[in-house]
Amino acid sequence: MFAVLRDLIRYNAEFAIGLVLVLSIIIFAMLSVFNPVDARLIFTTIPDQPPSAEFWFGTNSRGQDMFWQLSEAFRNSLMFGLTVAVISRILSISVGLLSGYIGGWTDRILMFINDIFVAIPIFPVLVLFYFVLRSDMNAVTLAFIMACLGWPYDARLIRSVALGLKHREFTRHAVFAGMSTRKILLEEHLPFVMPIVFSTFMNNMLWSIGLEVTLAVLGLTDINTPTIGTVLYWANSHSAMVVGVWWWIVIPVVLTALTFLGMFLLAVSTNEYIDPRSRLRRMGV
Amino acid sequence: MKSYFWFVAKRAVLLVAVIFFGVSATFFITHLSPISPVETALGRIMNQSSFSPDAIEEMRRVLTDLYGTDRPLLQQYLTFWQKLAAGDLGPSLIAFPTPAMTLVMQALPWTVVLLLVSTMITFAIGNLMGAMAGYFQDNIALKAFGVVAVVLQPIPYYVVAFVLLILFGFVWPVLPISGGYAMDVAPGFTLSFVQSVLMHAILPAASLVLVGFGSWFLGMRALVSTVVTEDFVTYAELAGVRNSTIMGGYVIRNALIPQVTGLAMSLGAVFSGTIITEQVFNYPGLGSLLIDAVFGGDYALVLAVSTISIAAVGIAIFIVDLLYPLIDPRVKAE
Amino acid sequence: MNRRRFLQTTALGAVFMAGGRFAGAQQASAPDLARFPRDKTIIIQNPEGVIRNPGWFNIWVNGGGGQSTGLQQLALDTLWYIDPDAGIEGASQNGIYNSLASGPWQYNDDFTKMTAPLREGMLWSDGKPFTSADVAFTVDLQMRTPGMIWSSTFANQVQSIETPDEKTVIFNLKKPNSRFHTLFSVRWNACWIMPKHVFETVKDPLTFAFNPPVGLGAYTLNSFDPNGTWFIWDKRPDWDKTPMGLVGEPKPQHAIYRNNISIDNRLIEMRNGNLDMIHDLTPEGAFSIVQQDPTTQGWFPSFPYAHPDPTLIHVLFNHQSGASLFGDKRIRWALALMLDARAMSMASYRGAATLSAIAVPPTGTHPRDYHMKLQDYLTNYEVDTGKRKVKVYDPDIGMQIADMVRRQFGAAVPTDPVAVRNAFGYGWWKQDVAAAEELLLAAGCTKSGRQWMLPDGKPFRFNLMVPPDGVVNRLGTVIAQAWSQNGIEVTPEAAPDIRERLTAGDYVASVRWAIETFGGHPDLSFFLDSYHSQYVAAQGKPQAPRNLMRYSAPQQDQIIEKIRGTGFNDPRSLELGHDYVKYYIDEMPVIPIMSFNVFSVQSNRYWTGWPNAQKPYANPVTNWGNSRYILTQIRSAK
């Protein structure tokens, strides 16, 4: 495992860059543990200071040090996105592969449930949950709700790939060889859907974080907890862009972009590693 | 052919069931809302001037009676289906007694046109570039494009829209930033109106495309990179078939199915509108209507928008399902 | 569609789109309103969101139509106007305008009969003359039709209506009401008079859209956006046959009201010349536009710019569900003394707040009638902490805040003490944590470590409900923080549905406003009458405005009953107002903080002569019905 990692870093620049980016962001987010002040407090420092040696990321109009605010925000948002993505991946892989492989009534029932979830408009549902739960609507609850809403789209995608796999030679061979369904799905089919799982994993994180931003920008989350969304919410409610407090928006945006660029590079290079034919092709054999 | 007919019939039954259960679920979810339409209406009225409290009590009674919010839930549910069967979604409560459908139809064209156009553009650019990037994996230009896509995609949509607004409305004010069309053109099929609508749609559409194409790009790129490793591609390459033919004829065709499925499902977003686009560019559409409806406790209106959305998505999935066996011969109609 | 055609079409689409965008960038400019030349047109921002039913002008029914789209400002009219500021000299008296009425209201001795003399020669926008029959019809129709906005109000109060002639209307009331005329006196709005000749032909007034509207204002509808984001009005050729025209000729030929403009777009649109009047900005946005664009102005010529609305922001204690927390007035006083006025002013308005220690907003003519007159009383006011008596008022807090903001805004901050007091407030309570702790101990609270415990042994903690955005949110957050730092665990809870929850009583403490006055007139009945204990709802039942605190006390009832028995313009009503203020200082049922300042900004690029602190002839806040008088006073900037 360690050797693999070393090889990847040495021979694959994309992997190395991706790793550096993702690790940096993770370390940055982890630093929030050392935040000297409660991130929910306002006017703990001089407001509206541009980035400087004292305030690396500047301070916002609420008198908060943006370095620590963003550190907490990234920790919260990334944890949130990961939770949603992991839970909804488990759901979508199980449903997608089962439905595609077994077919028949299982497929019909699963896809029926799937289609209902796809069809129900998510946004009003989330807003209503907010009003019903009120102060109980914290990040964890929201993550579970969104995970429950975020799987069907990808389950459909995975199923459509699995449908193709079912009729392939190697599946028939596996069945003839007496492999159990569970084994066929996990060992034969799962590797084929892994690239799509990786890309949907990132898409799903983006989707959940994006939806959190939308809810936050509208003031429909716990706006006193720092997240990428609430940072933007407060910047917006202080007209940061039009009055020139640019660092309040530019820095979180750059950090977000770097995070996902890093994850993308990791995903791409790992995909290539998983699929040996692709690696050989790359080497020009 | 007969088997295909049964396949369609079964799918059609499923479609009706999906719509029925979807709408029912939405009905009960919206009625969970703690926001009372009577209280929000009263709030709007009372905030305006000084009413004596006993007059307000009386007004509350009249409005509750008028809106029918005190009836048992099951009865409301049955009435809802009865009315819906007759094509009536009931009166909106935030604009009582205007039918909810009238409000929806007013906002719908704006949303549908803006989102259909930008979704199609996004889909086309994203998939075309994604397929090429997946096939020609060593092309520098395509790699650079990939980086742009990857970097743009995670930027919160709100920021992208707002930056466009600031750039083209404030720093270099060349494009209109509010509304669907200019105030001095009369709506109608005239050149000046169409022109005005197009001008006003540029920024909203551009923001949607910028943010949206990345996920299609990445998805397609990943799909193509698995397809190109398959044996038939290698055989074709060995046989000296031209790259463009391989890509167009075999690779994209094979990779397109999941993407088309995705497209069908993203139609749901078309019908629930883009709240942030509408907010940033003050663009007319379903998104802000939906928000107003939720905030106003107007479940009739939430249900009207949701019903249309559910039906549209259901039908889109239905169509894609029917197309599967036609696009990919390996999938049997079963 | 096969695959190739699909790809071709989409590629073409992309090229077309890219080309179109390029062509657009070449030709575009700021929207040119050819039909509405800017030197003849005023463009006003209306703070309403999208108007869902824009073709609905029946303002007497809540049918989803717009309110401040110009309809209530320019098209409709009623008997009197009461200005929240001083009013136009010569046209108003004590801020009161006679509009459709030719003189003031007259009551009989026991306030059971009100007579209104009406003007002659006024014309509806369709040319029909206005008479007393219109007024009588307006009231009668609503009494007959439950579900209209004023139905229950009139049905509860009016016994009968008489119209002895075309220029007199007499209301016989079911019970005495010395403030009946306020139903027809525009403060923000009032009951507008409807055209009898239009409505008497309508079968069901509840479903009648009243499109196009027929009104008695100086403007009439030109067109409106079917998507509900703008309304255009034209000056009537017979504008001099309207009460507004009697005040002066309205100058703009066209008036455009634009709504659903997000807070940053307003600023951009004004800078691009597409707005003349902005309803409200963020404090930061207002400071920025006033500094960057010399043609723009706020209410004060310099810092703090914002117009103080006759609305008081204060801490609301729920005296029902929060009784176990806030039942003791010593606890309420302790909470007040833990607050730092400077921090609250800086956090909410970045120093641009107008503080008020008393439960009357420091706006309009109130500083003259209340704040100035009670200054000595406050300076000498003592609170008994149980251990000692403390003087708790700091009359110089406004000066201190002016000094603080001077560091950032320099010469833009006034130095003259009177100007500073009017802009920053007459004073507030000194932050005195020691006194607060003594009060808490006296009330039976105990301290365990840093945390205060209630007399019943439970930790003193609660949620403070605040709006999700704006200056009040910022204020609430900093208040919660101040209490938490002093050992009372308070969590700010942002509630988008704060209005509904206040009505429902679904909160224990909040920051918002429940005290609103006429502003230009010392009478307090506008809010105070509804504070009578007869109107306090039972817990769990919705509470009518404005006593959202659900506070009741026999002393308060006595003051209200005395006001009910005193005429509106009777000087004794001011004394009763002082009694109420003093009672509220003793009891602290709410913690008054500051007026609700609105960053209304006007541009002098096309129009000039706006009202401001030196010439306070009208409230500049665009959605008030009263703002119509501005159109008679401005002139083209050319």
Side-chain angles (χ1 to χ4, degrees):
Chain A
M1 183 65 200
F2 185 71
V4 169
L5 202 63
R6 197 190 55 202
D7 276 359
L8 270 171
I9 295 172
R10 193 177 292 165
Y11 299 112
N12 194 328
E14 287 172 357
F15 186 83
I17 299 171
L19 194 66
V20 169
L21 285 177
V22 170
L23 280 181
S24 317
I25 294 290
I26 291 175
I27 291 169
F28 174 63
M30 291 306 213
L31 280 181
S32 60
V33 185
F34 302 107
N35 186 353
V37 291
D38 182 348
R40 301 171 70 95
L41 294 185
I42 61 174
F43 289 95
T44 55
T45 185
I46 321 160
D48 293 336
Q49 297 301 302
S52 66
E54 193 189 354
F55 305 109
W56 289 5
F57 291 169
T59 66
N60 63 17
S61 307
R62 307 179 83 211
Q64 296 168 320
D65 187 334
M66 283 315 288
F67 182 84
W68 296 113
Q69 279 294 307
L70 287 175
S71 174
E72 299 242 357
F74 271 77
R75 188 193 62 195
N76 293 336
S77 280
L78 291 178
M79 282 306 292
F80 173 77
L82 279 173
T83 315
V84 177
V86 168
I87 300 177
S88 63
R89 270 347 59 195
I90 294 172
L91 285 170
S92 59
I93 293 175
S94 331
V95 172
L97 289 183
L98 273 176
S99 188
Y101 179 72
I102 301 180
W105 275 103
T106 314
D107 179 32
R108 249 166 259 149
I109 290 168
L110 284 175
M111 281 306 104
F112 174 62
I113 296 168
N114 186 89
D115 288 354
I116 293 176
F117 270 91
V118 171
I120 290 177
I122 290 174
F123 196 78
V125 172
L126 282 177
V127 176
L128 286 169
F129 267 112
Y130 172 80
F131 282 119
V132 175
L133 295 173
R134 289 241 170 83
S135 46
D136 296 328
M137 183 70 149
N138 55 26
V140 181
T141 323
L142 186 64
F144 275 100
I145 295 171
M146 298 222 337
C148 292
L149 297 170
W151 61 270
Y153 187 99
D154 299 326
R156 269 264 175 184
L157 280 182
I158 291 169
R159 170 183 172 269
S160 64
V161 175
L163 270 182
L165 295 175
K166 180 182 175 181
H167 302 281
R168 301 276 287 274
E169 293 284 316
F170 67 88
T171 311
R172 272 180 226 155
H173 291 187
V175 175
F176 276 127
M179 264 174 122
S180 68
T181 305
R182 197 179 69 91
K183 257 193 145 174
I184 292 177
L185 292 184
L186 288 182
E187 290 176 16
E188 300 291 326
H189 286 182
L190 191 57
F192 272 90
V193 296
M194 266 339 255
I196 214 174
V197 169
F198 274 129
S199 87
T200 60
F201 187 92
M202 273 182 43
N203 279 345
N204 190 268
M205 270 186 84
L206 280 173
W207 169 80
S208 60
I209 292 176
L211 207 50
E212 194 269 338
V213 171
T214 303
L215 287 172
V217 166
L218 295 169
L220 296 174
T221 58
D222 173 12
I223 52 179
N224 288 310
T225 305
T227 64
I228 297 174
T230 55
V231 165
L232 292 176
Y233 172 81
W234 290 116
N236 180 29
S237 81
H238 288 74
S239 302
M241 291 279 262
V242 278
V243 303
V245 189
W246 53 267
W247 54 90
W248 200 347
I249 287 178
V250 171
I251 293 176
V253 165
V254 169
L255 289 178
T256 315
L258 288 179
T259 312
F260 282 92
L261 179 64
M263 285 175 49
F264 171 74
L265 292 175
L266 282 186
V268 169
S269 41
T270 321
N271 266 352
E272 279 175 8
Y273 186 81
I274 291 176
D275 190 342
R277 287 172 303 178
S278 166
R279 191 165 38 147
L280 289 177
R281 187 185 161 84
R282 184 188 169 84
M283 288 154 94
V285 176
Chain B
M1 205 57 226
K2 202 182 162 201
S3 75
Y4 191 70
F5 172 78
W6 279 114
F7 170 72
V8 174
K10 270 189 273 182
R11 287 285 174 220
V13 173
L14 215 56
L15 167 70
V16 173
V18 164
I19 295 177
F20 175 77
F21 280 100
V23 172
S24 297
T26 319
F27 178 91
F28 290 108
I29 292 171
T30 48
H31 278 74
L32 277 180
S33 171
I35 308 170
S36 151
V38 172
E39 291 306 321
T40 51
L42 273 178
R44 273 198 305 278
I45 298 169
M46 290 181 309
N47 263 31
Q48 293 165 14
S49 69
S50 176
F51 291 94
S52 85
D54 37 9
I56 291 166
E57 198 47 54
E58 175 69 15
M59 223 180 318
R60 177 174 287 120
R61 203 186 52 71
V62 173
L63 288 181
T64 308
D65 191 46
L66 217 54
Y67 293 180
T69 50
D70 54 345
R71 277 175 232 144
L73 192 57
L74 203 64
Q75 192 193 330
Q76 289 188 44
Y77 179 66
L78 293 177
T79 329
F80 168 74
W81 279 112
Q82 266 168 16
K83 279 192 177 169
L84 189 62
D88 175 16
L89 281 155
S92 153
L93 304 180
I94 55 170
F96 197 84
T98 315
M101 215 50 211
T102 311
L103 301 188
V104 172
M105 289 323 289
Q106 199 173 291
L108 192 71
W110 293 98
T111 298
V112 168
V113 171
L114 176 71
L115 282 183
L116 272 187
V117 170
S118 52
T119 305
M120 291 318 286
I121 293 172
T122 311
F123 183 79
I125 298 179
N127 281 307
L128 209 60
M129 299 301 278
M132 297 210 307
Y135 190 73
F136 305 106
Q137 291 195 351
D138 298 319
N139 186 302
I140 301 287
L142 286 169
K143 270 194 175 169
F145 189 83
V147 173
V148 172
V150 172
V151 172
L152 267 181
Q153 196 196 0
I155 299 179
Y157 173 71
Y158 171 75
V159 175
V160 175
F162 202 67
V163 166
L164 284 180
L165 174 96
I166 296 277
L167 284 181
F168 297 102
F170 191 58
V171 179
W172 187 41
V174 287
L175 286 172
I177 56 167
S178 314
Y181 61 96
M183 283 180 281
D184 59 344
V185 291
F189 279 104
T190 58
L191 184 65
S192 58
F193 178 70
V194 172
Q195 214 170 19
S196 186
V197 168
L198 284 179
M199 288 297 296
H200 281 75
I202 290 174
L203 285 181
S207 66
L208 290 168
V209 171
L210 273 180
V211 171
F213 81 94
S215 69
W216 294 124
F217 176 88
L218 297 180
M220 193 61 176
R221 190 183 175 286
L223 286 165
V224 168
S225 60
T226 47
V227 176
V228 289
T229 60
E230 293 200 24
D231 295 341
F232 68 88
V233 177
T234 319
Y235 294 148
E237 278 176 340
L238 288 176
V241 180
R242 281 191 318 170
N243 269 345
S244 59
T245 316
I246 299 179
M247 199 178 86
Y250 308 123
V251 177
I252 293 188
R253 187 179 186 143
N254 274 291
L256 208 56
I257 297 174
Q259 296 297 81
V260 173
T261 315
L263 181 66
M265 282 186 280
S266 62
L267 277 174
V270 171
F271 288 91
S272 47
T274 47
I275 288 106
I276 303 288
T277 319
E278 289 171 28
Q279 205 182 41
V280 172
F281 299 106
N282 306 322
Y283 203 78
L286 280 179
S288 64
L289 182 69
L290 197 54
I291 285 278
D292 284 3
V294 172
F295 274 75
D298 185 349
Y299 33 75
L301 194 49
V302 176
L303 268 172
V305 178
S306 304
T307 304
I308 290 180
S309 167
I310 291 169
V313 177
I315 292 169
I317 296 174
F318 173 69
I319 293 171
V320 168
D321 267 350
L322 298 192
L323 290 180
Y324 266 163
L326 305 181
I327 300 178
D328 190 344
R330 287 176 305 192
V331 179
K332 281 186 210 144
E334 54 182 57
Chain C
M1 191 190 288
N2 68 24
R3 172 189 45 79
R4 189 162 291 120
R5 271 217 12 236
F6 172 73
L7 287 177
Q8 280 165 351
T9 333
T10 42
L12 261 176
V15 169
F16 174 77
M17 186 65 193
R21 202 179 311 168
F22 180 71
Q26 297 293 306
Q27 294 158 8
S29 62
D32 172 30
L33 299 172
R35 280 161 59 206
F36 308 103
R38 285 300 266 121
D39 59 336
K40 291 201 166 63
T41 308
I42 183 172
I43 309 182
I44 301 169
Q45 186 231 332
N46 165 15
E48 287 175 282
V50 177
I51 286 157
R52 290 301 162 201
N53 200 1
W56 185 272
F57 295 96
N58 182 351
I59 203 163
W60 301 272
V61 173
N62 178 40
Q67 183 90 25
S68 324
T69 56
L71 181 62
Q72 74 169 1
Q73 297 98 320
L74 301 183
L76 301 174
D77 210 328
T78 187
L79 306 185
W80 299 282
Y81 277 65
I82 300 183
D83 203 87
D85 286 292
I88 297 170
E89 236 173 280
S92 64
Q93 244 180 347
N94 255 339
I96 298 170
Y97 294 87
N98 297 317
S99 196
L100 285 171
S102 59
W105 49 86
Q106 292 141 24
Y107 287 96
N108 63 354
D109 287 342
D110 62 351
F111 300 109
T112 51
K113 183 177 188 173
M114 187 193 87
T115 308
L118 303 176
R119 285 190 199 279
E120 288 172 288
M122 298 294 107
L123 295 184
W124 291 97
S125 53
D126 60 1
K128 298 270 180 348
F130 159 76
T131 68
S132 57
D134 292 311
V135 181
F137 180 81
T138 302
V139 176
D140 181 56
L141 177 71
Q142 299 197 66
M143 285 167 69
R144 280 189 281 122
T145 320
M148 298 183 81
I149 286 184
W150 303 86
S151 295
S152 38
T153 303
F154 289 133
N156 286 350
Q157 299 197 28
V158 177
Q159 182 72 52
S160 63
I161 315 157
E162 296 167 40
T163 49
D165 56 50
E166 291 206 334
K167 55 185 176 61
T168 312
V169 62
I170 301 168
F171 295 96
N172 295 307
L173 306 179
K174 287 182 176 165
K175 48 188 187 257
N177 182 1
S178 59
R179 302 291 186 272
F180 184 74
H181 63 278
T182 59
L183 297 174
F184 300 97
S185 305
V186 177
R187 179 247 185 212
W188 191 88
N189 76 350
C191 178
W192 307 101
I193 304 302
M194 56 171 68
K196 181 181 182 213
H197 61 278
V198 174
F199 273 81
E200 67 187 352
T201 61
V202 172
K203 219 181 274 166
D204 182 6
L206 290 176
T207 55
F208 176 57
F210 193 37
N211 177 15
V214 174
L216 288 161
Y219 286 78
T220 182
L221 185 70
N222 171 306
S223 54
F224 66 90
D225 177 12
N227 296 304
T229 65
W230 46 258
F231 292 76
I232 304 179
W233 307 85
D234 290 338
K235 182 159 82 171
R236 280 169 55 177
D238 55 350
W239 55 266
D240 54 341
K241 299 286 187 296
T242 70
M244 183 178 167
L246 295 181
V247 171
E249 178 178 0
K251 308 303 181 303
Q253 196 60 42
H254 313 282
I256 303 181
Y257 278 83
R258 294 178 57 188
N259 53 297
N260 189 41
I261 311 183
S262 58
I263 204 150
D264 289 333
N265 287 25
R266 292 171 203 170
L267 191 154
I268 298 174
E269 292 282 37
M270 177 170 277
R271 213 211 55 170
N272 292 350
N274 297 325
L275 270 183
D276 296 310
M277 295 180 82
I278 289 178
H279 167 261
D280 193 12
L281 286 172
T282 60
E284 291 79 10
F287 303 155
S288 150
I289 194 168
V290 172
Q291 277 159 14
Q292 287 172 11
D293 184 346
T295 66
T296 55
Q297 66 165 69
W299 179 255
F300 291 103
S302 54
F303 199 85
Y305 307 109
H307 176 264
D309 255 21
T311 306
L312 186 77
I313 299 174
H314 51 90
V315 176
L316 294 91
F317 299 118
N318 187 333
H319 289 272
Q320 283 175 348
S321 64
S324 62
L325 299 165
F326 314 115
D328 190 319
K329 78 169 181 182
R330 286 169 296 191
I331 291 182
R332 303 195 290 265
W333 255 107
L335 288 167
L337 292 179
M338 282 179 178
L339 300 176
D340 176 359
R342 284 160 304 183
M344 292 193 293
S345 170
M346 293 306 289
S348 57
Y349 281 100
R350 316 211 85 178
T354 315
L355 294 163
S356 178
I358 61 174
V360 171
T363 51
T365 50
H366 296 336
R368 182 195 69 200
D369 294 335
Y370 290 96
H371 297 79
M372 215 189 276
K373 285 194 178 142
L374 288 164
Q375 186 76 340
D376 287 341
Y377 178 83
L378 286 163
T379 312
N380 297 319
Y381 189 80
E382 285 181 334
V383 169
D384 185 355
T385 67
K387 274 190 181 163
R388 58 195 169 109
K389 291 195 166 174
V390 214
K391 285 200 170 141
V392 284
Y393 187 70
D394 182 351
D396 293 323
I397 217 127
M399 308 295 259
Q400 295 165 25
I401 293 170
D403 289 340
M404 281 166 73
V405 292
R406 201 168 283 122
R407 270 178 251 150
Q408 192 188 349
F409 293 92
V413 181
T415 45
D416 170 52
V418 177
V420 169
R421 288 225 155 85
N422 280 328
F424 294 92
Y426 274 74
W428 212 74
W429 313 113
K430 276 185 276 231
Q431 187 183 29
D432 190 339
V433 178
E437 303 208 326
E438 286 166 21
L439 281 164
L440 287 175
L441 289 170
C445 297
T446 51
K447 203 171 184 183
S448 145
R450 280 200 63 253
Q451 171 70 41
W452 279 100
M453 300 298 190
L454 288 164
D456 59 9
K458 288 191 193 128
F460 196 171
R461 70 159 71 103
F462 58 92
N463 279 6
L464 183 70
M465 182 170 69
V466 296
D469 54 11
V471 287
V472 183
N473 168 284
R474 305 182 193 183
L475 176 67
T477 312
V478 89
I479 289 176
Q481 208 165 299
W483 286 336
S484 297
Q485 277 162 354
N486 289 306
I488 296 169
E489 200 185 320
V490 182
T491 315
E493 182 191 357
D497 53 343
I498 183 168
R499 196 175 67 191
E500 288 74 29
R501 288 182 60 185
L502 285 170
T503 304
D506 182 14
Y507 74 102
V508 289
S510 181
V511 178
R512 212 163 174 264
W513 56 88
I515 293 171
E516 287 185 62
T517 60
F518 288 105
H521 195 281
D523 183 74
L524 299 182
S525 65
F526 187 81
F527 72 98
L528 194 55
D529 194 66
S530 63
Y531 280 31
H532 197 280
S533 59
Q534 76 192 92
Y535 298 135
V536 174
Q539 195 166 344
K541 289 269 187 303
Q543 168 70 36
R546 307 193 182 270
N547 188 2
L548 301 169
M549 299 76 66
R550 299 166 178 244
Y551 178 70
S552 60
Q555 295 94 321
Q556 178 172 278
D557 288 351
Q558 279 169 19
I559 297 172
I560 294 169
E561 281 155 21
K562 279 186 201 159
I563 292 178
R564 284 178 182 168
T566 314
F568 190 72
N569 289 329
D570 192 321
R572 272 182 305 159
S573 84
L574 181 58
E575 281 166 39
L576 291 167
H578 282 207
D579 289 350
Y580 148 80
V581 167
K582 287 174 181 167
Y583 178 69
Y584 263 49
I585 294 171
D586 289 341
E587 292 293 316
M588 198 58 80
V590 300
I591 306 179
I593 297 175
M594 54 182 65
S595 61
F596 189 25
N597 288 5
V598 181
F599 287 92
S600 299
V601 175
Q602 299 83 36
S603 164
N604 288 292
R605 195 184 300 185
Y606 300 106
W607 299 95
T608 189
W610 309 106
N612 56 39
Q614 277 127 17
K615 235 176 78 185
Y617 67 80
N619 181 352
V621 184
T622 57
N623 55 346
W624 289 55
N626 320 49
S627 65
R628 68 175 190 172
Y629 290 113
I630 296 172
L631 271 64
T632 65
Q633 304 297 306
I634 54 173
R635 58 185 183 278
S636 175
K638 271 195 184 159

